[in-house]
């Protein structure tokens, strides 16, 4: 079951190298940028890669997802296939809650980091981001609504979440990316039906637990205010 939530209380696997942000989106609803932030995401897993990262600065009331509630169709497409475009379009249209978006391109492999800049308008104090973990069925790494630093920098640990939109069969036929080469979104399939903390890789089918499982956090994220 999928349900689109604008939580106001609502062909991506291109390269194995991390790159700088390809785009910042700054909306006319926030005519003056209050601050610019540099965000560095480091993959601290042993065997999982991250698809392109999609980030947003937003007001306190906005939620990218809610634990225990169905993922939006747009977030499900990111979690199942690594496609950030539908979710980016949704965020960009939420101009009363979302100030700015930024995204990267290419895969972020274990031990690698990627850095991008993002802006925040006046009164905007929160940051969220998401990226798919591969190889998984519908798991994504995310920070949800963390505080932007008033000055200096803050470092966070980001967890892995299951979108609950696809069965965790661990079959390569249903997992995209260089490891499996399968399909992304599984039409007509449904998972648990709600976003929850990921249980990792169990080694039940094509994925070896010894190679692809993880424990606790999956990314280090440093957010630094930039003065220009």
């Amino acid at each position: 079951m999928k349900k689109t939530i604008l939580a106001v209380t609502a062909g991506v696997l291109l390269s194995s190298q991390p790159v700088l942000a390809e785009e910042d989106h700054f909306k006319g609803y926030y005519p003056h940028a209050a601050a610019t932030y540099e965000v560095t995401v480091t993959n601290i897993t042993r065997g999982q890669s991250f698809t392109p990262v999609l980030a947003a600065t937003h007001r306190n009331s906005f939620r990218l997802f809610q634990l225990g509630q169905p993922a939006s169709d747009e977030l499900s497409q990111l979690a199942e296939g690594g496609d950030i475009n539908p979710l980016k379009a949704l965020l960009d249209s939420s101009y009363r809650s979302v100030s700015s978006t930024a995204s990267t391109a290419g895969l972020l492999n274990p031990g690698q980091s990627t850095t991008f800049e993002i802006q925040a308008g006046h009164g905007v104090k929160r940051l969220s981001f998401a990226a798919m973990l591969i190889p998984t069925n519908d798991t994504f790494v995310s920070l949800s609504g963390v505080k932007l630093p008033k000055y200096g920098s803050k470092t966070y640990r980001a967890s892995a979440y299951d979108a609950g939109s696809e069965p965790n069969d661990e079959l390569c036929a249903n997992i995209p990316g260089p490891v499996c080469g399968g399909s992304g979104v599984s039409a007509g399939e449904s998972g648990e039906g709600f976003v929850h903390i990921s249980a990792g890789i169990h080694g039940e089918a094509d994925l070896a637990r010894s190679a692809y499982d993880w424990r606790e956090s999956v990314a280090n994220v440093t957010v630094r205010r930039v003065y220009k």
Side-chain angles (χ1 to χ4, degrees):
M1 178 176 67
K2 297 180 181 178
K3 180 182 178 182
T4 299
I5 52 172
L6 268 190
V8 269
T9 267
V12 179
L13 311 179
L14 302 177
S15 167
S16 63
Q17 297 300 317
V19 298
L20 295 181
E22 62 181 6
E23 180 178 2
D24 280 341
H25 180 85
F26 189 63
K27 301 178 182 62
Y29 194 78
Y30 299 91
H32 304 292
T36 298
Y37 297 89
E38 180 185 86
V39 182
T40 299
V41 180
T42 302
N43 181 344
I44 60 173
T45 70
R46 179 179 60 175
Q48 292 286 334
S49 296
F50 301 166
T51 60
V53 174
L54 175 63
T57 53
H58 54 83
R59 294 191 178 277
N60 294 345
S61 58
F62 178 85
R63 297 291 184 273
L64 191 61
F65 62 91
Q66 292 183 343
L67 289 172
Q69 297 297 318
S72 66
D73 290 338
E74 294 81 2
L75 180 59
S76 296
Q77 290 179 68
L78 181 151
E80 294 182 31
D83 185 0
I84 65 174
N85 292 317
L87 183 57
K88 185 178 186 302
L90 180 67
L91 294 172
D92 287 345
S93 67
S94 305
Y95 60 90
R96 291 185 180 274
S97 300
V98 177
S99 172
S100 180
T101 62
S103 58
T104 66
L107 295 183
L108 187 65
N109 293 321
Q112 292 184 333
S113 299
T114 187
T115 299
F116 58 90
E117 287 190 355
I118 191 167
Q119 294 179 316
H122 290 289
V124 175
K125 301 177 181 179
R126 301 284 175 170
L127 171 75
S128 296
F129 84 86
M132 182 188 180
L133 267 66
I134 53 170
T136 68
N137 288 98
D138 61 341
T139 296
F140 62 101
V141 55
S142 182
L143 284 181
S144 181
V146 299
K147 286 186 177 181
L148 292 163
K150 292 182 180 179
Y151 53 85
S153 65
K154 288 186 176 182
T155 298
Y156 299 94
R157 286 286 183 93
S159 298
Y161 301 91
D162 191 305
S165 57
E166 181 179 79
N168 294 315
D169 55 24
E170 298 183 12
L171 292 171
C172 269
N174 298 321
I175 298 173
V179 173
C180 284
S183 61
V185 177
S186 298
E189 296 287 347
S190 61
E192 299 80 8
F194 60 92
V195 180
H196 57 88
I197 300 295
S198 175
I201 299 297
H202 295 168
E204 295 175 348
D206 297 329
L207 302 181
R209 183 175 183 177
S210 60
Y212 301 114
D213 195 23
W214 65 88
R215 289 292 179 267
E216 300 180 351
S217 303
V218 296
N220 278 340
V221 184
T222 299
V223 185
R224 182 176 67 88
R225 184 165 182 174
V226 179
Y227 294 91
K228 294 185 176 182

